[in-house]
Amino acid sequence: MGSTGGSTRSAPDAAERVARRKPAGREADGYAEEAAALRTGLVREIVAGGGLTDPAWRAAFEEVPRHLFVPYYYEAGDAAAAAAPPGTRTTRAGEVGAEHGTVGYTRLWRDDPHPLRRARWLAGAYADAPLATRVRDGELITSSSQPSLMARMLQALQVRDGDRVLEIGAGTGYNAALLAHRLGDAHVTTLDLDPEITEAARNHLAAAGFRPAVVTGDGARGCPLHAPYDRIIATCAVASIPSAWLGQCRPDALILTPLATGLIALRVADARHAEGHFLAIPAYFVPLRGSGPPPQVPTHGLPSRPLLDDSFRFLLNVAAGHLEPVEALALWEHEGRPGRERYGVTVRGERQWAWLDDPEGAYGWPLGPPGRLEPFRALSPGAP
């Protein structure tokens, strides 16, 4: 693979990875053998689903021990609580993604005295599923994303040896470990607003033998200390692209971030210009902390059938606040029910907008909180 010229250090070789996975002075991992077998099964499942086609990323998922990053997590739902062995701890908190009501959380953890609960914890750590790892005042604060989605995002990042990567949203540290496995510790910075989260991520990384830079700070401001970056990847959703991210990128850098229930991959031209398309896959992430709640997506006046279609719900999200639901339905049907990959985002200085098919075409909607900007273009289907 080629280098960006930003660094002369290549990706770590196998001997270095082995040495890092056995940090001196730490207790032996009593789950290592069983976890390795479960990890092999997880990788096999992701590959069968079309992921991990890059051997370097496959090696990262095969070798980075996810269970060290989730010493405990929560299963949501009354069914999970009912299925838990006697004595399992539960809490009550607001359901992730729900507007009303509460849900029980079953806490599974590594040091549970009950062997069946420990086995359930370890199996869940290697399931291809997201894990709720921190809940505060009824709000999901951090999670470990679904591994197959992480694999697709990391491959879409198109990293090259020597690339410097900034991750927005440290979470458990697992994603940063995968990046560090691929690129080396010195090339990875992970950032989070909450000092408790960064401290836990730092400890998890050290336990697994990785030491990338873990920084406490506002994700919207990036991390100028270690800039410039060749890649920025966010594991939290944004309503618009923070200008600081572009300013901390090298020309031709790539930014990959959740936006409007999708993943936008932006190629950066300079500190004020970037453009790119959405990936085809859906993605649901908690919002960037401090950015405010996502806009409400109205559905009044709509029949139920199109609301069952993911591509239509994506249009409602990407144009939320700037396109009436009935107009969105007419557009969607007129344009052949477009999937996410036909949409894109353009950043030109202070102006940002999402668009369908063409950044200068008939359909475009400004990004950001509703009311902050007037739609510069939102034509009816078939309009000249």
Side-chain angles (χ1 to χ4, degrees), residues 370-382:
R372 190 189 70 175
L373 295 171
E374 291 297 322
F376 76 94
R377 188 183 294 109
L379 304 183
S380 300

Side-chain angles (χ1 to χ4, degrees), residues 99-142:
E99 293 182 2
H100 305 287
T102 60
V103 66
Y105 279 88
T106 302
R107 183 177 185 263
L108 299 175
W109 60 303
R110 175 187 58 200
D111 298 322
D112 195 301
H114 197 292
L116 291 180
R117 291 195 292 261
R118 291 199 304 272
R120 187 175 169 202
W121 160 79
L122 186 61
Y126 289 104
D128 186 25
L131 300 175
T133 57
R134 190 179 296 259
V135 178
R136 182 185 300 158
D137 297 328
E139 178 186 1
L140 177 64
I141 302 299
T142 60

Side-chain angles (χ1 to χ4, degrees), residues 9-10 12 16 20 164-165 176-177 179-189 205 209-213:
R9 179 176 173 179
S10 62
E16 182 183 351
R20 286 192 313 194
R164 298 184 67 85
V165 178
L179 286 162
H181 183 287
R182 172 65 181 83
L183 296 168
D185 292 344
H187 293 255
V188 178
T189 299
L205 284 157
F210 296 97
R211 289 175 176 79

Side-chain angles (χ1 to χ4, degrees), residues 8-65:
T8 58
R9 179 176 173 179
S10 62
D13 60 20
E16 182 183 351
R17 292 197 299 264
V18 171
R20 286 192 313 194
R21 290 199 306 277
K22 297 179 179 179
R26 292 204 174 268
E27 294 182 14
D29 179 8
Y31 296 99
E33 185 174 350
E34 187 178 356
L38 291 170
R39 203 155 52 244
T40 297
L42 173 61
V43 169
R44 188 181 299 118
E45 182 180 350
I46 295 173
V47 170
L52 293 178
T53 57
D54 183 334
W57 286 122
R58 178 167 180 165
F61 277 81
E62 288 173 338
E63 297 176 18
V64 175

Side-chain angles (χ1 to χ4, degrees), residues 57 145-158 175 233-236 254 256-258 263 279 281 283 285:
W57 286 122
S145 301
Q146 183 177 10
S148 57
L149 177 59
M150 296 174 69
R152 291 181 181 274
M153 289 178 68
L154 289 170
Q155 289 206 173
L157 201 58
Q158 302 176 30
N175 201 56
I233 181 171
T235 58
C236 46
L254 189 69
L256 181 67
T257 183
L263 291 166
L279 305 188
I281 57 176
F285 286 80

